[in-house]
Amino acid sequence: MRFVPCAAVLVGAMLVAGRARADEGNLRLTWFAPSGCPSSEEVKAAALRNVDATLAPGVLEADAHVEQQTPSSWRVFLKTRRGAIVGEREIEAATCAGVADATAVVLALALVPPATLADEQPPPPAPAPPAPPAPREAGGPHAFAAGVAVHGDLGVLPSPGFGGAMHVAWMPGRFRVEALGRIVLEQRRSVPGTGRGADISVVGVGARGCFALVQLWSFEASPCVGGGVDVASAAGFGAETNLSPSKAWGNVAFGGLARFEVSRWLALRARVEGLVPLYRPNFVVEGTGSVHEPAAVGAGAYFGAEVLFL
């Protein structure tokens, strides 16, 4: 069933104005709703405002869970119990305040015996027109995103490295699944004491799964785990025979992501993570010595922006 905020007017028409307010002991309300919605005390006060305490015998126990389905659609699951009588309802409205008002109406009606309402209520008013869709605010839900970032790396190359990265993301609710690619710019490394070595660069692909533990207005913070594959190319120099081998290895990643939506379509983001390679190739110059071997544990940091899609 669907209610709109103006349904609160119906309670005033159905119940006699000016009667003593019902005692809060007549109503025990458990209210679960996202931040920014009316509080349980406000809903309870609205339900009890025009109910005659003498017409509300016994205790009504109510349990309400509010959730947002779309930017312009909210729903509350309401369970009530008075003695052995149990009821369940689903109520929808365009705003969280709308489902709160509708919940107050249902609770007020449940507090008054049906015979009393039959004596007092006037003919119901004409149905109100459906509320227009609410405008979408920054920080609302999105389904997809794509972005770029500058990237700093420690451990995959001989010295701290820099490069770029890009990603695409799917965001069902608080979850986020990302596919990403990165490149670490080339570095030159020589075997100590010789003029022989290699120019080494790295490209990588991977995937990350994240869950938003913190959602505060337009800010979001999430732990992430995932994995990927890095490929290093080493172009030799200085030796009689210079080769250009490539090595690939898998890795496991763990870290965190922070995002801030600056508009309805753009978000700034930062991600840090640790990387554990599953294999550590050793690049060598034949007859001379080792050039480079990836670290046992590496780290990466990404700073960039992403475009949001509905």
Side-chain angles (χ1 to χ4, degrees), residues 255-306:
L257 169 68
R259 299 172 60 252
F260 182 78
E261 293 189 14
V262 297
S263 73
R264 62 182 299 172
W265 58 270
L266 180 66
L268 303 179
R269 50 178 275 153
R271 182 165 61 86
V272 294
E273 64 182 8
L275 293 169
V276 179
L278 303 179
Y279 166 64
R280 299 169 61 197
N282 189 9
F283 293 91
V284 299
V285 177
E286 292 185 4
T288 303
S290 175
V291 175
H292 173 60
E293 182 181 21
V297 178
Y302 301 78
F303 302 92
E306 63 183 8

Short mmCIF file of all heavy atoms in Angstrom, two decimals, residues 255-306:
data_model
loop_
_atom_site.label_atom_id
_atom_site.label_comp_id
_atom_site.label_asym_id
_atom_site.label_seq_id
_atom_site.Cartn_x
_atom_site.Cartn_y
_atom_site.Cartn_z
N GLY A 255 43.85 -3.42 0.82
CA GLY A 255 44.02 -2.00 1.14
C GLY A 255 42.69 -1.31 1.39
O GLY A 255 41.73 -1.93 1.86
N GLY A 256 42.64 -0.03 1.05
CA GLY A 256 41.44 0.76 1.31
C GLY A 256 41.23 1.82 0.25
O GLY A 256 42.17 2.25 -0.43
N LEU A 257 39.96 2.24 0.12
CA LEU A 257 39.56 3.24 -0.87
C LEU A 257 38.74 4.32 -0.18
O LEU A 257 37.84 4.01 0.61
CB LEU A 257 38.72 2.58 -1.97
CG LEU A 257 38.00 3.51 -2.96
CD1 LEU A 257 38.99 4.25 -3.84
CD2 LEU A 257 37.01 2.72 -3.81
N ALA A 258 39.05 5.59 -0.46
CA ALA A 258 38.26 6.73 0.03
C ALA A 258 37.79 7.54 -1.17
O ALA A 258 38.57 7.81 -2.09
CB ALA A 258 39.08 7.60 0.97
N ARG A 259 36.50 7.92 -1.16
CA ARG A 259 35.91 8.66 -2.27
C ARG A 259 35.11 9.84 -1.74
O ARG A 259 34.51 9.77 -0.67
CB ARG A 259 34.98 7.77 -3.11
CG ARG A 259 35.61 6.59 -3.74
CD ARG A 259 34.58 5.68 -4.37
NE ARG A 259 33.81 6.33 -5.41
CZ ARG A 259 32.53 6.69 -5.30
NH1 ARG A 259 31.87 6.49 -4.18
NH2 ARG A 259 31.91 7.26 -6.31
N PHE A 260 35.09 10.93 -2.53
CA PHE A 260 34.26 12.09 -2.19
C PHE A 260 33.61 12.58 -3.48
O PHE A 260 34.29 12.97 -4.43
CB PHE A 260 35.10 13.21 -1.57
CG PHE A 260 34.28 14.40 -1.17
CD1 PHE A 260 33.53 14.39 0.00
CD2 PHE A 260 34.22 15.53 -1.98
CE1 PHE A 260 32.76 15.47 0.37
CE2 PHE A 260 33.47 16.63 -1.61
CZ PHE A 260 32.74 16.59 -0.43
N GLU A 261 32.28 12.56 -3.51
CA GLU A 261 31.55 13.00 -4.69
C GLU A 261 31.40 14.52 -4.66
O GLU A 261 30.70 15.06 -3.79
CB GLU A 261 30.18 12.33 -4.75
CG GLU A 261 30.27 10.83 -4.99
CD GLU A 261 28.93 10.19 -5.27
OE1 GLU A 261 27.97 10.94 -5.53
OE2 GLU A 261 28.84 8.95 -5.22
N VAL A 262 32.04 15.19 -5.60
CA VAL A 262 31.99 16.64 -5.65
C VAL A 262 30.78 17.14 -6.44
O VAL A 262 30.42 18.31 -6.35
CB VAL A 262 33.29 17.22 -6.26
CG1 VAL A 262 34.47 16.89 -5.37
CG2 VAL A 262 33.53 16.67 -7.67
N SER A 263 30.17 16.27 -7.22
CA SER A 263 28.94 16.60 -7.95
C SER A 263 28.21 15.30 -8.23
O SER A 263 28.68 14.22 -7.86
CB SER A 263 29.24 17.34 -9.26
OG SER A 263 29.78 16.45 -10.23
N ARG A 264 27.07 15.40 -8.90
CA ARG A 264 26.28 14.21 -9.17
C ARG A 264 26.95 13.30 -10.19
O ARG A 264 26.53 12.14 -10.34
CB ARG A 264 24.89 14.59 -9.66
CG ARG A 264 24.87 15.35 -10.97
CD ARG A 264 23.44 15.73 -11.36
NE ARG A 264 22.63 14.54 -11.54
CZ ARG A 264 21.32 14.58 -11.74
NH1 ARG A 264 20.69 15.74 -11.74
NH2 ARG A 264 20.64 13.48 -11.92
N TRP A 265 28.00 13.75 -10.86
CA TRP A 265 28.63 12.92 -11.88
C TRP A 265 30.14 12.77 -11.71
O TRP A 265 30.78 12.06 -12.49
CB TRP A 265 28.35 13.49 -13.27
CG TRP A 265 28.81 14.92 -13.46
CD1 TRP A 265 28.10 16.05 -13.22
CD2 TRP A 265 30.10 15.36 -13.90
NE1 TRP A 265 28.85 17.17 -13.47
CE2 TRP A 265 30.08 16.77 -13.89
CE3 TRP A 265 31.26 14.70 -14.30
CZ2 TRP A 265 31.18 17.53 -14.27
CZ3 TRP A 265 32.36 15.46 -14.68
CH2 TRP A 265 32.31 16.85 -14.67
N LEU A 266 30.74 13.41 -10.71
CA LEU A 266 32.20 13.39 -10.56
C LEU A 266 32.59 13.12 -9.11
O LEU A 266 32.02 13.71 -8.18
CB LEU A 266 32.80 14.72 -11.01
CG LEU A 266 34.33 14.83 -10.92
CD1 LEU A 266 35.00 13.87 -11.90
CD2 LEU A 266 34.79 16.26 -11.20
N ALA A 267 33.57 12.23 -8.91
CA ALA A 267 34.09 11.93 -7.57
C ALA A 267 35.61 11.95 -7.60
O ALA A 267 36.24 11.51 -8.57
CB ALA A 267 33.59 10.57 -7.09
N LEU A 268 36.20 12.47 -6.51
CA LEU A 268 37.64 12.36 -6.28
C LEU A 268 37.89 11.13 -5.42
O LEU A 268 37.07 10.78 -4.58
CB LEU A 268 38.17 13.61 -5.58
CG LEU A 268 37.91 14.94 -6.30
CD1 LEU A 268 38.46 16.09 -5.48
CD2 LEU A 268 38.54 14.93 -7.69
N ARG A 269 39.04 10.48 -5.61
CA ARG A 269 39.27 9.24 -4.90
C ARG A 269 40.76 9.03 -4.62
O ARG A 269 41.62 9.54 -5.35
CB ARG A 269 38.73 8.03 -5.66
CG ARG A 269 39.14 7.96 -7.11
CD ARG A 269 38.60 6.73 -7.78
NE ARG A 269 39.48 5.58 -7.57
CZ ARG A 269 39.08 4.32 -7.58
NH1 ARG A 269 37.80 4.03 -7.74
NH2 ARG A 269 39.92 3.34 -7.41
N ALA A 270 41.04 8.29 -3.56
CA ALA A 270 42.40 7.89 -3.20
C ALA A 270 42.35 6.43 -2.76
O ALA A 270 41.44 6.02 -2.03
CB ALA A 270 42.95 8.76 -2.09
N ARG A 271 43.34 5.66 -3.20
CA ARG A 271 43.40 4.25 -2.83
C ARG A 271 44.83 3.89 -2.47
O ARG A 271 45.78 4.28 -3.17
CB ARG A 271 42.91 3.36 -3.99
CG ARG A 271 42.90 1.88 -3.66
CD ARG A 271 42.08 1.08 -4.69
NE ARG A 271 42.61 1.20 -6.03
CZ ARG A 271 43.58 0.43 -6.52
NH1 ARG A 271 44.13 -0.50 -5.75
NH2 ARG A 271 44.00 0.57 -7.76
N VAL A 272 45.02 3.17 -1.37
CA VAL A 272 46.33 2.65 -0.98
C VAL A 272 46.19 1.14 -0.78
O VAL A 272 45.12 0.66 -0.40
CB VAL A 272 46.84 3.32 0.32
CG1 VAL A 272 47.13 4.79 0.08
CG2 VAL A 272 45.84 3.16 1.45
N GLU A 273 47.27 0.41 -1.05
CA GLU A 273 47.19 -1.03 -0.93
C GLU A 273 48.56 -1.64 -0.78
O GLU A 273 49.58 -1.04 -1.16
CB GLU A 273 46.48 -1.64 -2.14
CG GLU A 273 47.20 -1.46 -3.46
CD GLU A 273 46.42 -2.03 -4.63
OE1 GLU A 273 45.26 -2.42 -4.43
OE2 GLU A 273 46.99 -2.09 -5.74
N GLY A 274 48.59 -2.83 -0.22
CA GLY A 274 49.78 -3.66 -0.19
C GLY A 274 49.68 -4.75 -1.24
O GLY A 274 48.58 -5.22 -1.56
N LEU A 275 50.82 -5.15 -1.79
CA LEU A 275 50.87 -6.17 -2.84
C LEU A 275 51.84 -7.27 -2.43
O LEU A 275 52.99 -6.99 -2.06
CB LEU A 275 51.32 -5.56 -4.17
CG LEU A 275 50.36 -4.57 -4.84
CD1 LEU A 275 51.06 -3.86 -5.98
CD2 LEU A 275 49.13 -5.29 -5.34
N VAL A 276 51.37 -8.51 -2.51
CA VAL A 276 52.21 -9.67 -2.21
C VAL A 276 52.34 -10.49 -3.49
O VAL A 276 51.35 -11.09 -3.94
CB VAL A 276 51.61 -10.53 -1.09
CG1 VAL A 276 52.50 -11.74 -0.82
CG2 VAL A 276 51.43 -9.70 0.18
N PRO A 277 53.53 -10.52 -4.12
CA PRO A 277 53.68 -11.31 -5.35
C PRO A 277 53.66 -12.80 -5.06
O PRO A 277 54.22 -13.27 -4.06
CB PRO A 277 55.05 -10.86 -5.89
CG PRO A 277 55.79 -10.38 -4.69
CD PRO A 277 54.76 -9.80 -3.75
N LEU A 278 53.02 -13.56 -5.93
CA LEU A 278 52.99 -15.01 -5.80
C LEU A 278 54.22 -15.65 -6.41
O LEU A 278 54.48 -16.85 -6.20
CB LEU A 278 51.72 -15.56 -6.46
CG LEU A 278 50.40 -14.99 -5.92
CD1 LEU A 278 49.22 -15.60 -6.67
CD2 LEU A 278 50.27 -15.23 -4.43
N TYR A 279 55.00 -14.87 -7.16
CA TYR A 279 56.23 -15.35 -7.80
C TYR A 279 57.14 -14.16 -7.98
O TYR A 279 56.69 -13.06 -8.31
CB TYR A 279 55.88 -16.01 -9.14
CG TYR A 279 57.07 -16.25 -10.05
CD1 TYR A 279 58.09 -17.12 -9.68
CD2 TYR A 279 57.16 -15.61 -11.28
CE1 TYR A 279 59.18 -17.34 -10.52
CE2 TYR A 279 58.24 -15.83 -12.13
CZ TYR A 279 59.25 -16.69 -11.74
OH TYR A 279 60.32 -16.89 -12.55
N ARG A 280 58.43 -14.33 -7.75
CA ARG A 280 59.38 -13.22 -7.83
C ARG A 280 60.47 -13.55 -8.84
O ARG A 280 61.47 -14.22 -8.51
CB ARG A 280 59.99 -12.95 -6.45
CG ARG A 280 58.96 -12.55 -5.40
CD ARG A 280 59.58 -12.57 -4.02
NE ARG A 280 60.68 -11.62 -3.92
CZ ARG A 280 61.61 -11.66 -2.97
NH1 ARG A 280 61.56 -12.62 -2.05
NH2 ARG A 280 62.58 -10.77 -2.94
N PRO A 281 60.31 -13.12 -10.09
CA PRO A 281 61.34 -13.41 -11.09
C PRO A 281 62.61 -12.61 -10.82
O PRO A 281 62.57 -11.48 -10.31
CB PRO A 281 60.67 -12.97 -12.40
CG PRO A 281 59.71 -11.92 -11.99
CD PRO A 281 59.19 -12.33 -10.64
N ASN A 282 63.74 -13.18 -11.19
CA ASN A 282 65.04 -12.52 -11.02
C ASN A 282 65.62 -12.22 -12.39
O ASN A 282 65.88 -13.12 -13.18
CB ASN A 282 65.98 -13.43 -10.22
CG ASN A 282 67.26 -12.71 -9.81
OD1 ASN A 282 67.36 -11.49 -9.98
ND2 ASN A 282 68.22 -13.46 -9.29
N PHE A 283 65.81 -10.93 -12.69
CA PHE A 283 66.39 -10.52 -13.96
C PHE A 283 67.92 -10.45 -13.80
O PHE A 283 68.42 -9.79 -12.87
CB PHE A 283 65.84 -9.16 -14.38
CG PHE A 283 64.38 -9.19 -14.72
CD1 PHE A 283 63.42 -8.93 -13.75
CD2 PHE A 283 63.96 -9.50 -16.00
CE1 PHE A 283 62.07 -8.96 -14.06
CE2 PHE A 283 62.60 -9.53 -16.32
CZ PHE A 283 61.66 -9.27 -15.34
N VAL A 284 68.63 -11.11 -14.68
CA VAL A 284 70.09 -11.18 -14.58
C VAL A 284 70.73 -10.84 -15.92
O VAL A 284 70.10 -11.00 -16.98
CB VAL A 284 70.56 -12.59 -14.12
CG1 VAL A 284 70.00 -12.92 -12.75
CG2 VAL A 284 70.17 -13.64 -15.14
N VAL A 285 71.97 -10.35 -15.84
CA VAL A 285 72.83 -10.21 -17.03
C VAL A 285 73.76 -11.41 -17.03
O VAL A 285 74.51 -11.62 -16.06
CB VAL A 285 73.62 -8.90 -17.00
CG1 VAL A 285 74.56 -8.82 -18.20
CG2 VAL A 285 72.68 -7.71 -16.99
N GLU A 286 73.68 -12.21 -18.08
CA GLU A 286 74.45 -13.45 -18.10
C GLU A 286 75.94 -13.17 -17.93
O GLU A 286 76.52 -12.30 -18.57
CB GLU A 286 74.21 -14.19 -19.43
CG GLU A 286 72.79 -14.72 -19.56
CD GLU A 286 72.62 -15.55 -20.83
OE1 GLU A 286 73.63 -15.76 -21.52
OE2 GLU A 286 71.50 -15.98 -21.09
N GLY A 287 76.51 -13.94 -16.99
CA GLY A 287 77.93 -13.81 -16.74
C GLY A 287 78.30 -12.60 -15.90
O GLY A 287 79.50 -12.38 -15.66
N THR A 288 77.32 -11.81 -15.47
CA THR A 288 77.63 -10.60 -14.71
C THR A 288 76.95 -10.59 -13.35
O THR A 288 77.58 -10.38 -12.32
CB THR A 288 77.22 -9.35 -15.49
OG1 THR A 288 77.87 -9.36 -16.77
CG2 THR A 288 77.61 -8.08 -14.73
N GLY A 289 75.65 -10.80 -13.29
CA GLY A 289 74.95 -10.82 -12.01
C GLY A 289 73.51 -10.37 -12.12
O GLY A 289 73.00 -10.08 -13.21
N SER A 290 72.87 -10.29 -10.96
CA SER A 290 71.44 -9.95 -10.90
C SER A 290 71.21 -8.46 -11.09
O SER A 290 71.94 -7.63 -10.54
CB SER A 290 70.87 -10.40 -9.55
OG SER A 290 69.53 -10.00 -9.42
N VAL A 291 70.18 -8.14 -11.86
CA VAL A 291 69.78 -6.75 -12.06
C VAL A 291 68.67 -6.36 -11.09
O VAL A 291 68.74 -5.33 -10.42
CB VAL A 291 69.31 -6.52 -13.51
CG1 VAL A 291 68.78 -5.10 -13.70
CG2 VAL A 291 70.44 -6.80 -14.47
N HIS A 292 67.62 -7.20 -10.99
CA HIS A 292 66.49 -6.83 -10.12
C HIS A 292 65.62 -8.05 -9.84
O HIS A 292 65.45 -8.94 -10.68
CB HIS A 292 65.64 -5.75 -10.80
CG HIS A 292 64.38 -5.45 -10.05
ND1 HIS A 292 64.38 -4.99 -8.77
CD2 HIS A 292 63.07 -5.59 -10.41
CE1 HIS A 292 63.13 -4.82 -8.35
NE2 HIS A 292 62.32 -5.18 -9.32
N GLU A 293 65.03 -8.06 -8.61
CA GLU A 293 64.03 -9.03 -8.21
C GLU A 293 62.96 -8.27 -7.42
O GLU A 293 63.29 -7.50 -6.51
CB GLU A 293 64.65 -10.11 -7.32
CG GLU A 293 63.66 -11.18 -6.89
CD GLU A 293 64.30 -12.22 -5.99
OE1 GLU A 293 65.36 -11.91 -5.39
OE2 GLU A 293 63.76 -13.32 -5.89
N PRO A 294 61.66 -8.40 -7.76
CA PRO A 294 60.60 -7.68 -7.03
C PRO A 294 60.65 -7.98 -5.54
O PRO A 294 61.04 -9.07 -5.11
CB PRO A 294 59.31 -8.19 -7.68
CG PRO A 294 59.73 -8.67 -9.03
CD PRO A 294 61.11 -9.21 -8.87
N ALA A 295 60.22 -7.00 -4.73
CA ALA A 295 60.21 -7.15 -3.28
C ALA A 295 59.17 -8.18 -2.86
O ALA A 295 58.17 -8.43 -3.56
CB ALA A 295 59.91 -5.82 -2.62
N ALA A 296 59.39 -8.78 -1.67
CA ALA A 296 58.44 -9.79 -1.15
C ALA A 296 57.09 -9.17 -0.83
O ALA A 296 56.06 -9.83 -0.92
CB ALA A 296 59.03 -10.46 0.08
N VAL A 297 57.08 -7.90 -0.42
CA VAL A 297 55.84 -7.17 -0.17
C VAL A 297 56.01 -5.78 -0.74
O VAL A 297 56.98 -5.08 -0.42
CB VAL A 297 55.51 -7.08 1.34
CG1 VAL A 297 54.24 -6.26 1.56
CG2 VAL A 297 55.36 -8.47 1.95
N GLY A 298 55.10 -5.38 -1.60
CA GLY A 298 55.13 -4.04 -2.19
C GLY A 298 53.96 -3.20 -1.74
O GLY A 298 53.11 -3.63 -0.96
N ALA A 299 53.92 -1.98 -2.23
CA ALA A 299 52.84 -1.07 -1.87
C ALA A 299 52.55 -0.16 -3.06
O ALA A 299 53.41 0.09 -3.90
CB ALA A 299 53.20 -0.23 -0.65
N GLY A 300 51.31 0.33 -3.10
CA GLY A 300 50.91 1.25 -4.16
C GLY A 300 49.95 2.29 -3.64
O GLY A 300 49.22 2.06 -2.68
N ALA A 301 49.97 3.47 -4.25
CA ALA A 301 49.05 4.55 -3.91
C ALA A 301 48.53 5.16 -5.19
O ALA A 301 49.28 5.36 -6.15
CB ALA A 301 49.74 5.61 -3.04
N TYR A 302 47.22 5.48 -5.21
CA TYR A 302 46.56 6.01 -6.39
C TYR A 302 45.76 7.25 -5.99
O TYR A 302 45.02 7.21 -5.00
CB TYR A 302 45.62 4.98 -7.00
CG TYR A 302 46.28 3.68 -7.41
CD1 TYR A 302 46.59 2.72 -6.44
CD2 TYR A 302 46.58 3.43 -8.73
CE1 TYR A 302 47.19 1.51 -6.81
CE2 TYR A 302 47.17 2.22 -9.10
CZ TYR A 302 47.47 1.28 -8.14
OH TYR A 302 48.06 0.09 -8.51
N PHE A 303 45.87 8.32 -6.78
CA PHE A 303 45.10 9.54 -6.55
C PHE A 303 44.51 9.98 -7.89
O PHE A 303 45.26 10.17 -8.86
CB PHE A 303 45.97 10.65 -5.97
CG PHE A 303 46.65 10.27 -4.68
CD1 PHE A 303 47.91 9.71 -4.66
CD2 PHE A 303 45.98 10.44 -3.46
CE1 PHE A 303 48.52 9.35 -3.48
CE2 PHE A 303 46.57 10.09 -2.27
CZ PHE A 303 47.85 9.53 -2.27
N GLY A 304 43.19 10.13 -7.94
CA GLY A 304 42.59 10.48 -9.21
C GLY A 304 41.13 10.83 -9.07
O GLY A 304 40.65 11.26 -8.00
N ALA A 305 40.40 10.69 -10.17
CA ALA A 305 38.98 11.05 -10.23
C ALA A 305 38.26 10.03 -11.08
O ALA A 305 38.87 9.30 -11.88
CB ALA A 305 38.82 12.44 -10.81
N GLU A 306 36.93 9.97 -10.90
CA GLU A 306 36.12 9.08 -11.71
C GLU A 306 34.82 9.76 -12.10
O GLU A 306 34.30 10.61 -11.36
CB GLU A 306 35.84 7.77 -10.97
CG GLU A 306 35.03 7.89 -9.71
CD GLU A 306 34.85 6.55 -9.01
OE1 GLU A 306 35.47 5.56 -9.41
OE2 GLU A 306 34.08 6.49 -8.03
#
